[in-house]
Amino acid sequence: MENFLSQLPRLKLQNDAEEVSKGPSSTKDPERELKQGHLQGAFDHEDAHMWPETPPAEARCDSLIPAGANEAVLEKLQDKVLKEVGGAFSCVLGVLGDRLGLYKAMDGAGKVTPAELAVRTGCSERLMREWLNANAAAGWVAYHAPSETFELTAEQAMVLARDENPSNLMGLMEVAASLSGTHLETLASTFKSGRGLSYGEQPVGMARGIARATATEWEALLVQVWLPALGDILEEELERGGKVADVGCGFGATTLMMARSYPNSTFVGFDRHELSVLQARAIAKDNGIEGNVSFQVSTAKNFPGDGFTLITMLDSLHDFGDPLGAAKHVYEALADGGIWLIVEHLTDGKLSGNLTNPLARVLYSFSTLVCVPNALSQEGGCSWGACAGEAKIRGVVEAAGPFREFRRIAESPRHMVFAARK
Ligand SMILES: C[S@@+](CC[C@H](N)C(=O)[O-])C[C@H]1O[C@@H](n2cnc3c(N)ncnc32)[C@H](O)[C@@H]1O
């Protein structure tokens, strides 16, 4: 039998929100009525015990298992999917907690009651209680039953409250949460049309989430580990006064880190996404890093300038619709002996090689919703996705021009780093 709910016309998500906000038409308050005794005694009827103590099989959910299904396999799958649906809800709660400063207010505060959290953050006590209950059920905050209080442990604070901590996952959560809601309609029509969806057509929270998700890793590794791994000659040139392009710079974190470390060199961050470039400029201004850095809207295939000492691409090459066109342009724009640094997700080019990678689920999901639609929205006909793997990268480097050298110079738990020398 077909589920009649599947026949319902799909409602516009915005209308759903309107309907909810209108609220029920009834003015009755059952909770108050119950307190006043209006509903008490409703079950004190002589027929109250007319039903059997144990419900018959057909009244239990066993009858919902379709014939031919393996019950154990079905249950295991349901458990898995249910946990993940819970995770999707948790992301929304997590981002709300971040927006409202709830985790930060709990960080180092010890045991708190919902009322205390409400006072600290200026939020509704009732909603604080439910938010804390949900976080406790997810294992994201600790619950102390005897005192009915909640606590953010040091580890939970690292993941949820402290932006500067490398274990913080709030950026990724913001990306995930931004891709739900009304945006689902846009994504659905993209899936039908195959026309793609550029960064500019995604919610703003998506680009901001990406910037937050990677900044701590870049901060720990780019200037301290990866640039030194490129050799003394580059280091000396950057100390003396080199010219650097950061292509697909997003909010400009990496451009700014390098500019701060090498004040005699000049840095330009290029990105196709105008809003990211505007954000990068604003962040540079706020941090007083302006003399040797600028940001421009430009694509990877035609950013201006030549004679670059170093061209960096962090998590961006796989997003381009024409990675080979970009690679050829990089070759032309580099000075003789100049270096192209490519940082990409640590993955295998093949699905079978990625299935045991704990990051694969997040990467393939992100790639389906962001990277591939973005590449499809551009000219070029390529859409590598976030799990591109080494072979594709090596392929475009080799095809772009006679680079003297191409090597994998480093690896982090999440990324692999390549360098090509002209
Ligand atoms: C995953 S984000 C990485 C941003 C930044 N490098 C970071 O690590 O935070 C990829 C960036 O590439 C940019 N991008 C995508 N296609 C581009 C193209 N064809 N030319 C230049 N930038 C592009 C996007 O706008 C986005 O900012």
Side-chain angles (χ1 to χ4, degrees), residues 258-300:
M258 294 189 286
R260 195 182 45 201
S261 302
Y262 297 102
N264 297 327
S265 290
T266 52
F267 295 81
V268 196
F270 296 110
D271 202 288
R272 192 175 186 272
H273 182 211
E274 189 178 1
L275 188 124
S276 288
V277 168
L278 293 175
Q279 284 291 325
R281 283 183 192 148
I283 295 168
K285 193 164 180 218
D286 285 352
N287 286 278
I289 316 174
E290 287 183 284
N292 64 336
V293 69
S294 60
F295 293 95
Q296 278 185 43
V297 177
S298 186
T299 72

Side-chain angles (χ1 to χ4, degrees), residues 199 210-211 214 218 247-250 254 270-273 276 298-300 314-316 319-321 374 378:
Y199 269 68
I210 290 177
T214 47
W218 303 155
V247 182
C249 65
T254 46
F270 296 110
D271 202 288
R272 192 175 186 272
H273 182 211
S276 288
S298 186
T299 72
L314 288 100
D315 270 352
S316 59
D319 270 333
F320 304 159
N374 176 68
Q378 302 180 6

